[in-house]
Amino acid sequence: MKKIIYALILPLVVVSGLVFANREIKNETSKKLTSKPLSAAQRKAALKKWEATPDGILYKKWEASPEGKKVYGSEAKIRKHISAFTNMKAVVTSLSLPVGSRLGFAVMVSINGEDYILSFGLEKSNEFGPLHSLKVNDKIMIRSHSVSHAPKYSYPIVSGDYVERDSKIIYKRAPLKGGC
């Protein structure tokens, strides 16, 4: 009987020792993984290094091209509204994006005579349901927290955070959970 009890306790002791050893290893690696944010000099050095890569060179050429300057100019025209998160009047110009776009659900809009991509992201379940009722030439009010650009697109990309049509809210982005 004693031999059976010892035979059962011995593997239990070995396994518990391995579990505690594994936990200590995980704690050490998590301490190593948390790094301090890069300083301004380090960020600048990393940017210079990236600009020397083929992708960085192509990006810099795009920035200097007339197309890149047009995108930056269009961004500048709405920057005040983006910063203040105020309403912008827009007209839906197209329900489809340029060929090869991978922005998820988005529409083309015109704001003050300039074209923009109004992007909402990847569609999960039916969260964009009311937005599917938009038609070309619909007048909408939008608010956004960000505008971005990519050399792949000839238009600035406005993140759709709030959309209303005929004074009715048809989309409002849910706040991030667990954020600041």
Side-chain angles (χ1 to χ4, degrees):
M1 182 73 171
K2 284 186 179 183
K3 289 182 181 179
I4 294 174
I5 292 174
Y6 286 130
L8 292 173
I9 292 177
L10 181 63
L12 181 64
V13 170
V14 171
V15 168
S16 63
L18 290 174
V19 167
F20 283 114
N22 192 20
R23 193 187 90 201
E24 289 178 16
I25 291 170
K26 285 183 181 177
N27 286 341
E28 288 175 13
T29 56
S30 66
K31 288 178 185 174
K32 290 178 185 176
L33 291 177
T34 47
S35 61
K36 295 179 182 176
L38 297 175
S39 69
Q42 290 171 326
R43 279 194 305 262
K44 192 172 185 179
L47 180 63
K48 287 284 186 197
K49 186 177 178 182
W50 177 79
E51 286 175 346
T53 66
D55 287 338
I57 292 168
L58 286 175
Y59 184 78
K60 293 304 274 180
K61 284 182 182 177
W62 174 80
E63 277 186 322
S65 73
E67 187 176 272
K69 289 178 181 178
K70 178 188 171 293
V71 169
Y72 277 114
S74 296
E75 282 183 29
K77 289 182 180 180
I78 63 169
R79 181 69 59 199
K80 181 175 60 171
H81 293 287
I82 298 293
S83 298
F85 195 63
T86 57
N87 286 343
M88 294 180 276
K89 293 179 183 177
V91 177
V92 177
T93 57
S94 176
L95 300 176
S96 61
L97 295 180
V99 177
S101 297
R102 296 187 309 181
L103 294 171
F105 180 70
V107 296
M108 296 293 297
V109 296
S110 176
I111 303 171
N112 295 332
E114 295 285 333
D115 289 329
Y116 298 87
I117 297 174
L118 181 59
S119 174
F120 298 97
L122 299 176
E123 192 164 2
K124 299 172 190 136
S125 65
N126 198 17
E127 80 179 295
F128 304 134
L131 292 170
H132 288 290
S133 67
L134 288 174
K135 296 177 182 71
V136 174
N137 293 327
D138 275 355
K139 292 177 174 43
I140 57 176
M141 296 292 275
I142 61 174
R143 288 188 216 157
S144 177
H145 283 292
S146 66
V147 61
S148 60
H149 55 270
K152 179 179 179 176
Y153 304 105
S154 302
Y155 310 99
I157 304 162
V158 178
S159 174
D161 295 324
Y162 174 91
V163 179
E164 80 178 43
R165 178 181 55 198
D166 300 328
S167 301
K168 293 179 185 171
I169 299 172
I170 60 172
Y171 177 74
K172 186 174 181 181
R173 186 177 306 278
L176 294 175
K177 295 178 183 173
C180 298

